[in-house]
Amino acid sequence: MLVEALATGVCGTDAEIAGGSYGWAPPGRDRLVLGHESLGRVVDPGPSGFAVGEHVVGVVRRPDPAPCPNCAVGEWDMCSNGRYTERGIKQADGFMAERWRIESDYAVRVDQKLGTLGVLLEPTTVVAKAWEHIASIGRRTFWDPETVLIIGAGPIGLLAALIGVEHGAETHVLDRATSGPKPALVRQLGASYHTGALTDLGFSPDIVVECTGVVQLVRQALDIVSPGGIVCLTGVGSPAAPDTVSASALATDMVLKNIAAFGSVNANRRHYYLAAKVLAAADPAWLEQLITRRVQPEDAGQALQRTPEDIKVVIDFAQP
């Protein structure tokens, strides 16, 4: 079906692709249209079952053509052979265009009451999946988690904190920012905001969601998590970062403390549904504050240049 773009979110992955350090163009081409955080309005639904004017978000990942066992059952986020494609990232054009086409099976309806806040759906799927997997791993034993620590107060970290609060957990967020919007956003959730060293927090969280990819913070998260705790890694660090982690010490900690650590990225259609529920339950005024800068399509280059005050930058294409 044909969709008119309303907004596109910009994240670090887009900047990495634009800088040439990541991303793959479609086969036979040397250019890739960016944009994996989408929001659009249906213009021509064709035989899809959608209606003209409905707001939709495009699922980013597509299953591999083989397909692998996971892709065959709709769990393409867990593709086991790496032959998947991703809109705006890997071998498929993204949504940073005035109009785009999408198969109806990969379009997700968004409540129009959210307006342009619907563009937050795709990043929310990342942490909706992470929390789903945390719950699944937690069922390995009797487990009654009470305390959650989110490391990093970027958009993924703040949305992870939102879910932690919605789950009724005592939620803490650690970031290096001492000013700007992040501390206030965390406190508005009813969560606690921290700066400084992880080791100075004074408590051992049951769950850690690490959103920075900084190797030292990953190691410290495994140091401070409570015995039997779970550490979820959603951040990807620089490959040039110094390797200061002892594999032996890491393995010893994980074995002796029964720690489970796992990585989570991307999402399947189920996680889009879960993310939509998260946004529907959130305070729209709080969500609006996550979007700290809006630019027009002709200024897309500026959107790729991050500033210290940025949380989520959005390119506005049309009025919702």
Side-chain angles (χ1 to χ4, degrees):
M1 59 188 181
L2 182 64
V3 179
E4 174 192 21
L6 294 175
T8 306
V10 178
C11 78
T13 298
D14 296 307
E16 290 175 359
I17 295 171
S21 60
Y22 193 69
W24 299 263
R29 289 173 43 195
D30 58 2
R31 294 177 66 88
L32 171 73
V33 176
L34 290 176
H36 57 279
E37 300 179 6
S38 64
L39 176 67
R41 177 167 46 216
V42 177
V43 175
D44 180 1
S48 66
F50 285 80
V52 172
E54 283 192 295
H55 287 190
V56 295
V57 163
V59 174
V60 175
R61 185 170 287 196
R62 300 292 186 276
D64 63 76
C68 73
N70 287 331
C71 287
V73 297
E75 303 278 352
W76 51 74
D77 57 310
M78 303 296 287
C79 179
S80 59
N81 63 19
R83 294 178 63 192
Y84 61 85
T85 57
E86 290 177 325
R87 296 286 299 258
I89 300 175
K90 183 175 184 281
Q91 299 179 321
D93 281 336
F95 305 105
M96 206 175 284
E98 292 174 321
R99 293 191 174 193
W100 35 271
R101 289 193 179 275
I102 191 166
E103 310 92 325
S104 59
D105 286 347
Y106 297 98
V108 179
R109 286 182 176 88
V110 181
D111 189 343
Q112 290 181 230
K113 294 178 183 177
L114 283 171
T116 55
L117 295 177
V119 78
L120 297 172
L121 184 63
E122 192 281 335
T124 307
T125 67
V126 175
V127 284
K129 173 187 174 179
W131 276 101
E132 180 192 68
H133 285 205
I134 288 168
S136 295
I137 295 168
R139 286 193 289 271
R140 63 186 174 154
T141 184
F142 173 79
W143 195 50
D144 187 21
E146 297 180 350
T147 309
V148 175
L149 172 65
I150 314 296
I151 303 175
I156 296 297
L158 289 169
L159 290 167
L162 170 64
I163 297 178
V165 171
E166 288 187 0
H167 285 183
E170 179 188 317
T171 303
H172 300 259
V173 178
L174 181 137
D175 193 272
R176 62 186 178 184
T178 56
S179 60
K182 293 179 179 180
L185 280 165
V186 170
R187 294 179 183 123
Q188 287 170 30
L189 283 176
S192 300
Y193 187 83
H194 306 268
T195 58
L198 274 174
T199 51
D200 293 337
L201 288 177
F203 65 91
S204 296
D206 301 307
I207 300 167
V208 178
V209 183
E210 208 295 317
C211 304
T212 71
V214 176
V215 65
Q216 293 90 346
L217 294 178
V218 173
R219 181 66 184 93
Q220 290 172 23
L222 291 163
D223 282 338
I224 68 167
V225 71
S226 65
I230 296 175
V231 177
C232 173
L233 309 179
T234 67
V236 178
S238 168
D243 184 4
T244 59
V245 176
S246 164
S248 175
L250 188 65
T252 299
D253 275 358
M254 293 182 68
V255 170
L256 296 182
K257 293 172 64 179
N258 285 301
I259 296 170
F262 74 100
S264 180
V265 70
N266 206 271
N268 63 47
R269 190 179 180 91
R270 179 176 70 257
H271 304 124
Y272 282 77
Y273 169 76
L274 294 173
K277 291 183 66 176
V278 169
L279 294 183
D283 179 359
W286 185 86
L287 293 174
E288 185 66 52
Q289 294 177 75
L290 297 186
I291 301 177
T292 48
R293 189 156 53 98
R294 295 176 180 271
V295 302
Q296 297 301 303
E298 58 268 27
D299 299 318
Q302 297 177 15
L304 295 168
Q305 305 299 318
R306 293 191 60 80
T307 72
E309 298 296 308
D310 282 339
I311 296 177
K312 174 55 63 183
V313 179
V314 169
I315 300 173
D316 285 325
F317 282 86
Q319 292 296 316

